[in-house]
Amino acid sequence: MKTKRSVGMRVDSERLRFAVFSGMMLFGLVYLVLSLYQIQVTDTAQYSDAQDAHSFRRVRLPATRGRILDRNGVVLADNKPSYCVALYIEELRKPGAWENTVTHVDALVADLARIIDKPREVDRDDIWAHIKRRRPIPLFAFTGLDDAQMARLAEWPGALPGTDIYVGSERIYPFADTASHIIGYVGRGQPREVEEASEVEDHEDFNFYMPDLAGREGIEYACDLALGGRGGGHLIRVNAVGYKHEMLPGRPAVPGLDVMLTLDSGLQRTAEQALGDNRGAAVVLDCENGDILAMANSPRYDLRLFVPVLTSETWNRLLKDPAKPLYNRASSGIYPPGSVLKPVVALCGLRAHIVEPDTRFTCTGSIRVGQRIFHCANRYGHGEIGLQRAIAASCNPYFIDMALQMGFEPVLHDEFAMLGFGTAPRIGVQTASGLLPSSAWKQGRFGDSWRGGDTANFSLGQGFLSTTPLQIAMMTATLAMDGKMLKPRLIRDAGDGNGVQQEPVAAGVMNWPKSALSVVKAGMHDAINAPYGTGRRAAVPGIDAAGKTGTAEYYENSERKKHAWMIAFAPFDAPRYAVAVVCEDADSGGLTAAAVLRELFVYLFPDSAAAPLETPELI
Amino acid sequence: MKQSFQKTSANPFAKRGLPALNWVVVVCMVLLLIGGIFFIRSASAMRTGTVRLLHLRMLYNWVPLGLLLHVLVARANYRKWNDWSWVFYAVGVFMLLLLFVPGLGTERMGARRWLFGFQPSEFAKFSVVPMLAFILSGSSLRKGPIKFLLAILASAVPAILIALQPDLGTALPLVPAGLAMAYVSGCAPRTLMAVCLAGLLLTGAFFAAVLLPEKLPPEPRARVEQVVDTVIFPHWKKRILVFVYPERDPLGAGWNKRQSEIAVGSGGLHGKGYLKGTQNILGFLPRAVSSTDFIFSVIGEEKGFYGSAVLLALFAGLLGGIAVTGLTCRDEVGRLICTGVAALLFTHIFVNVAMTIGKMPITGIPLPLVSYGGSFTLSTLALLGLVQSIAIHGRKPISGASGS
């Protein structure tokens, strides 16, 4: 009985406590209701006023985009203010269905187009899309107004309700098409919409979004983060119909940082002009630190076409142009390299003691491998010939014979893999990897084993092997530096706070014996300087250069055509520059490519005795 | 006396041939869910892409799944499962620990909260309530201080793990829930006062650490702030500062507070009408959170004081129903579970509404049954399922050692 009562009491005290707890919850809810009554009923006028008469709009201010400079500080991409016409849909709302409003806005855009004399940039569908998705922010009806158009708009006597002018910025490219593939281009970013509701918390979204310029291609794309900076924002006090009332300070935009490239704009322009009407590319590397001093393409596109907006018409024209002007041949174009790789084949042969510097070979003008007959450039044969002269005169049978004795795998294949063929170099902008074939690859691709003919083809830089001009220039620099490989570099200062990169970055060392190198380099020296050298047209008095030509055959629509190649480095004793040039569908390396190379040398060594060429004019 | 006890515990619905559920809770719960779906639609009406159809995701995924869970939990006899509560608890804590394993937890907006698209903190929250009820009702430990120490430990472990994610909003409601359960179970008010005082002191120290350096001269201030920054998460500090000085960040967090207040206040008595709230539709209310943490601002703006009052009345009905179930339950475990569930829900409701109208700092706490949320909806409906299990089974005589 005693215990039972205590249990009962315990239950009661527990119930009491439970009731107290429930009462506290009730008290909390009552407090909320009273607070809500105060806010929503007693003080509601104050909040309605705050909303109707003195509402704020958060406006995002885009950051000024950083500039792109060449290695000497010459500006390749800059900004200028640009004026846009913005329409406030809320102010232009017509009673009834949205269709009425769309018609009204559409008519207004047509009027504006007439007033400022500028073709329309938005059509009916764009207006619909804007109303459906981004109604609270203004619609940009016209962008990039020039002074005359601005003046016409400012002087228009009639009323233009719901229309406002906003100042943004747009890109200018002082050199039009110089280095266009490297610089790339920008477009307008779209307002960001957070996809997941839960991702949010500290996300700020804005009533009015001035879209930033966003890099789409080239360095503009690769360094977008540094160039772009951080957008700021401020509050705009607007009245009931959304008219600007007063501007309140907010967070200033953080401008983007400048990006410095390793390019020398003078050399770049020289290379582009030297390429002339040829389709092709030229790459100049600084042997000592791997800097890419020039990476020229032909044809190019004018970067100004992308400002303020690229019309789809122009874009389609560029896309469909058979000369492919949008194509960055220098780093993404893949070509059979032809004979320019012979020096590396020779180094392999010497190291493996397949040939010695004094080994003689008799060239009869052709050599038979299995069922195929390979011809030499000299159809009557070079006769008895040594290695040095075989390089200078580019004797095919000599190299085929050597390569067959050596075998393709592992020696040749591994040597070229180590040199970076078959992998895309990382320089910031897009690069291609090309193709370094192997017997396994051929088996997988064609279901056929690697044959002697394939090895012979490879030793001439024909067949399956494909390379980019940048890779060939890197190979040339490695030859010039006696096997020391450096990472190629296009960005000198990425604006990431690490400053200017000047120290070379080593990428490995090739195992090339000194004695072998001296013979091969002597052969390359003869190629330019000896009377029988294939690249003698590149010779410039006073410049001691060494090089190698190449003429790679390819078929287009079953028509036999030739890519003309030439590589070179100079000065011979203490190399500073390595150059690779390729011209598509040309006569031969010794003719077409050598002529381009010669002009580059004249620019690189202004003190040389060569007849001074006219200096390229600044555009 | 025994007879009267039986009388009060009779379920009035059972006489009318309905299942022995707490129908007040059922009705309030369903109405709140329906209302929530409507206002999630309003809050996401102006968004683009898949998030425009958030309400459908709620309607077709989370609510049916949650109701299924609700029914499953309600059908199970909580007395039988009570001995297993430590298993659920251990699984919950284990999943919270898994979040800290690199590669498993998904990080969004600087917090590791998601494990395969699910928030383990919500499951942990669900498992803590029966665990505490089990500990606090345990007869073996009597009422000794060890029992309360154990209870404090059992709630502190998940709370700290959740707060470290960092997700203060989910961890916070565990504290009042634990305190309420300890109080109802008979913890000496003196002990509770001491715990509350310690908590208040800690909170005070927290605020002081953030606010006091402002008053110092610049030289020692920099040094003090350096120390403070290593102890306190930067976004907690920011929120406290914004609460005290909203004018400091007019574009960021201060903006949310101000716009939410304007939305609720400008709603007036009648509201501006469904889908007509200008603060909401024109995007003054941050769209990204208007369907979750700020759903009450949308309701307050579009349905006015009447709407807010009806909403709070529904919540009062829900909490009252839970209280009745707790009072009429025959055993201590059931009553403690009801206490815990009610305290959890009440904390969510109170903090969410209070922050929406600027009476508390902005914390990431959603409104139960109304806000959009996957894991949160599931855990809320599962907790209410526990209440229904108590309504069904709690009035039966207790068979076994502790019974007659």
Side-chain angles (χ1 to χ4, degrees), chain A residues 166 272 302 395 446 483 616:
Chain A
Y166 274 90
E272 287 169 353
D302 190 338
C395 174
F446 296 105

Side-chain angles (χ1 to χ4, degrees), chain A residues 192-535:
Chain A
R192 269 180 313 162
E193 174 80 36
V194 179
E195 261 308 305
E196 276 297 324
S198 44
E199 275 182 32
V200 252
E201 267 182 328
D202 290 329
H203 173 76
E204 299 166 56
D205 42 9
F206 289 86
N207 303 112
F208 176 25
Y209 185 99
M210 284 283 279
D212 272 332
L213 295 169
R216 293 267 193 264
E217 195 62 62
I219 289 293
E220 294 272 28
Y221 174 74
C223 298
D224 198 36
L225 214 61
L227 288 169
R230 231 186 85 209
H234 58 197
L235 294 175
I236 289 183
R237 214 184 264 265
V238 288
N239 62 13
V241 285
Y243 201 75
K244 235 192 280 184
H245 215 263
E246 176 191 359
M247 211 179 275
L248 296 163
R251 189 182 61 212
V254 182
L257 296 164
D258 290 349
V259 167
M260 182 179 261
L261 304 181
T262 57
L263 295 182
D264 178 317
S265 56
L267 181 64
Q268 177 79 17
R269 276 202 310 284
T270 307
E272 287 169 353
Q273 285 176 11
L275 282 168
D277 295 333
N278 291 304
R279 275 182 283 148
V283 179
V284 183
L285 288 178
D286 186 327
C287 296
E288 284 160 356
N289 55 21
D291 281 356
I292 299 172
L293 299 175
M295 197 152 80
N297 286 305
S298 174
R300 294 169 298 281
Y301 53 87
D302 190 338
L303 287 167
R304 295 170 183 183
L305 292 176
F306 290 82
V307 180
V309 274
L310 184 71
T311 59
S312 54
E313 204 178 308
T314 317
W315 178 246
N316 284 329
R317 184 170 55 73
L318 287 171
L319 273 183
K320 285 184 187 137
D321 191 332
K324 296 185 181 165
L326 290 170
Y327 187 33
N328 185 359
R329 289 170 160 81
S331 67
S332 300
I334 51 172
Y335 302 91
S339 303
V340 294
L341 52 62
K342 278 178 182 165
V344 178
V345 177
L347 284 166
C348 285
L350 284 165
R351 191 181 56 212
H353 295 289
I354 306 288
V355 290
E356 298 301 332
D358 52 358
T359 304
R360 313 291 284 178
F361 175 85
T362 306
C363 168
T364 58
S366 66
I367 185 168
R368 189 186 182 90
V369 181
Q371 300 295 314
R372 285 182 63 185
I373 293 170
F374 289 84
H375 290 279
C376 189
N378 183 341
R379 59 198 294 209
Y380 305 109
H382 289 103
E384 200 177 273
I385 192 171
L387 178 59
Q388 187 173 333
R389 187 155 179 163
I391 293 171
S394 200
C395 174
N396 287 345
Y398 192 105
F399 282 90
I400 292 172
D401 181 62
M402 180 165 62
L404 287 174
Q405 287 183 56
M406 219 172 345
F408 174 63
E409 280 170 329
V411 187
L412 276 174
H413 175 271
D414 292 359
E415 192 80 2
F416 280 88
M418 244 182 102
L419 272 170
F421 288 96
T423 43
R426 296 168 60 133
I427 56 170
V429 299
Q430 210 180 355
T431 54
S433 61
L435 174 73
L436 176 62
S438 67
S439 56
W441 171 84
K442 194 189 170 192
Q443 192 70 45
R445 180 82 164 74
F446 296 105
D448 194 6
S449 56
W450 189 268
R451 292 169 193 281
D454 296 323
T455 307
N457 250 334
F458 186 90
S459 71
L460 310 177
Q462 297 277 173
F464 303 122
L465 177 69
S466 64
T467 60
T468 65
L470 176 63
Q471 285 173 330
I472 294 294
M474 286 157 62
M475 177 192 83
T476 312
T478 308
L479 280 167
M481 297 301 282
D482 294 342
K484 203 171 104 188
M485 283 190 286
L486 298 176
K487 262 183 73 107
R489 191 160 53 200
L490 179 61
I491 299 166
R492 198 148 184 253
D493 181 352
D496 53 5
N498 291 337
V500 173
Q501 304 295 302
Q502 254 163 341
E503 288 308 301
V505 183
V509 181
M510 299 301 292
N511 176 20
W512 288 337
K514 265 220 148 54
S515 56
L517 269 167
S518 67
V519 180
V520 170
K521 283 176 119 174
M524 290 175 74
H525 191 254
D526 287 351
I528 288 182
N529 298 300
Y532 50 80
T534 51

Side-chain angles (χ1 to χ4, degrees), chain B residues 14 59 77 150 164 177 187 194 222 275 279 308 315 319 357 383-384:
Chain B
L59 181 63
N77 187 342
L150 214 63
L164 282 178
C187 176
L275 287 176
Q279 289 287 102
S308 323
F315 277 123
L319 294 174
I357 56 179
L383 283 170
L384 289 171

Side-chain angles (χ1 to χ4, degrees), chain B residues 346-366:
Chain B
F346 173 75
T347 315
H348 275 102
I349 297 159
F350 187 82
V351 175
N352 180 278
V353 176
M355 87 177 181
T356 305
I357 56 179
K359 304 279 182 204
M360 277 186 95
I362 304 282
T363 326
I365 287 188

Side-chain angles (χ1 to χ4, degrees), chain A residues 4 8-22 24-29 31-41 43-45 47-48 50-52 55-59 90 131-136 193-207 232-235 238 249-251, chain B residues 1 5 46-48 50-51 54 57 108-109 113-114 143 180 183-184 186-187 189 235 238-239 250-252 255 258 261-262 264-266 268-269 272 278-279 281-284 286-289 291-292 296 300-301 304-305 308 312 316 319 322-323 326-327 332 335 338-339 342-343 346 349-350 353-354 357 359 364 372:
Chain A
K4 199 172 183 182
M9 274 178 67
R10 191 177 144 219
V11 167
D12 276 345
S13 79
E14 211 178 276
R15 284 226 194 127
L16 184 70
R17 284 158 177 267
F18 195 91
V20 168
F21 161 67
S22 304
M24 281 164 73
M25 292 199 298
L26 189 66
F27 178 77
L29 290 178
Y31 168 76
L32 287 182
V33 173
L34 290 178
S35 306
L36 280 167
Y37 186 85
Q38 195 201 345
I39 289 178
Q40 296 193 293
V41 183
D43 294 344
T44 184
Y47 291 99
S48 302
Q51 194 192 21
D52 290 344
S55 252
F56 294 104
R57 282 197 175 143
R58 271 195 296 193
V59 177
E90 291 296 328
I131 284 177
K132 277 188 188 140
R133 277 193 252 123
R134 297 194 289 274
R135 198 183 312 155
E193 174 80 36
V194 179
E195 261 308 305
E196 276 297 324
S198 44
E199 275 182 32
V200 252
E201 267 182 328
D202 290 329
H203 173 76
E204 299 166 56
D205 42 9
F206 289 86
N207 303 112
H234 58 197
L235 294 175
V238 288
R251 189 182 61 212
Chain B
M1 189 173 113
F5 186 79
M46 291 306 292
R47 301 184 73 183
T48 52
T50 52
V51 283
L54 270 187
R57 234 188 274 176
R108 286 185 213 158
M109 304 301 289
R113 287 181 199 168
W114 285 267
K143 286 192 203 167
Y183 171 72
V184 171
C187 176
H235 77 275
K238 193 173 144 201
R239 283 194 181 152
L251 281 170
W255 169 273
R258 171 102 186 112
E261 269 183 73
I262 291 179
V264 176
S266 64
L269 197 60
K272 298 173 190 167
T278 43
Q279 289 287 102
I281 295 296
L282 293 182
F284 287 95
R287 290 190 202 291
V289 285
S291 54
T292 56
F296 185 80
E301 185 186 19
F305 177 69
S308 323
L312 287 177
L319 294 174
I322 298 171
L327 277 170
E332 199 180 358
R335 194 155 22 255
C338 286
T339 311
F346 173 75
I349 297 159
F350 187 82
V353 176
I357 56 179
K359 304 279 182 204
Y372 175 83

Side-chain angles (χ1 to χ4, degrees), chain B residues 14-276:
Chain B
K15 284 182 201 156
R16 295 182 176 84
L18 289 162
L21 295 172
N22 186 329
W23 285 94
V24 175
V25 171
V26 173
V27 169
C28 291
M29 179 183 91
V30 170
L31 287 178
L32 284 166
L33 282 172
I34 293 172
I37 289 168
F38 274 101
F39 285 98
I40 291 167
R41 166 155 193 267
S42 178
S44 52
M46 291 306 292
R47 301 184 73 183
T48 52
T50 52
V51 283
R52 216 179 142 227
L53 303 172
L54 270 187
H55 61 292
L56 293 184
R57 234 188 274 176
M58 193 76 175
L59 181 63
Y60 293 131
N61 300 352
W62 302 123
V63 169
L65 215 64
L67 287 177
L68 183 73
L69 203 64
H70 179 78
V71 171
L72 285 177
V73 176
R75 285 179 65 97
N77 187 342
Y78 71 100
R79 286 182 187 152
K80 284 185 188 145
W81 285 94
N82 190 35
D83 294 340
W84 293 93
S85 53
W86 65 272
V87 176
F88 289 100
Y89 179 79
V91 171
V93 172
F94 180 68
M95 288 203 298
L96 284 179
L97 285 172
L98 275 188
L99 277 183
F100 292 93
V101 178
L104 275 181
T106 316
E107 195 166 326
R108 286 185 213 158
M109 304 301 289
R112 296 178 79 92
R113 287 181 199 168
W114 285 267
L115 195 67
F116 312 119
F118 172 77
Q119 295 189 39
S121 45
E122 291 298 338
F123 181 81
K125 208 158 70 180
F126 167 76
S127 68
V128 166
V129 173
M131 184 72 212
L132 287 180
F134 176 70
I135 293 173
L136 290 169
S137 67
S139 51
S140 54
L141 295 161
R142 305 305 303 168
K143 286 192 203 167
I146 299 169
K147 192 156 93 174
F148 294 114
L149 269 178
L150 214 63
I152 286 171
L153 196 72
S155 47
V157 168
I160 288 169
L161 285 178
I162 294 168
L164 282 178
Q165 288 177 359
D167 185 359
L168 193 60
T170 307
L172 184 75
L174 283 175
V175 179
L179 286 174
M181 288 173 80
Y183 171 72
V184 171
S185 84
C187 176
R190 229 181 318 157
T191 322
L192 280 176
M193 290 292 256
V195 173
C196 286
L197 207 66
L200 280 178
L201 277 176
L202 205 68
T203 317
F206 201 75
F207 268 73
V210 173
L211 299 175
L212 277 187
E214 307 263 327
K215 309 268 183 264
L216 289 173
E219 206 281 313
R221 178 180 163 183
R223 252 182 295 156
V224 173
E225 277 185 341
Q226 210 173 1
V227 178
V228 170
D229 287 346
T230 56
V231 186
I232 297 173
F233 284 112
H235 77 275
W236 293 3
K237 179 173 163 181
K238 193 173 144 201
R239 283 194 181 152
I240 291 174
L241 282 174
V242 168
F243 176 64
V244 183
Y245 309 105
E247 69 283 0
R248 290 265 179 96
D249 187 11
L251 281 170
W255 169 273
N256 291 3
K257 179 176 181 287
R258 171 102 186 112
Q259 293 303 332
S260 167
E261 269 183 73
I262 291 179
V264 176
S266 64
L269 197 60
H270 301 277
K272 298 173 190 167
Y274 183 56
L275 287 176
K276 285 179 187 154

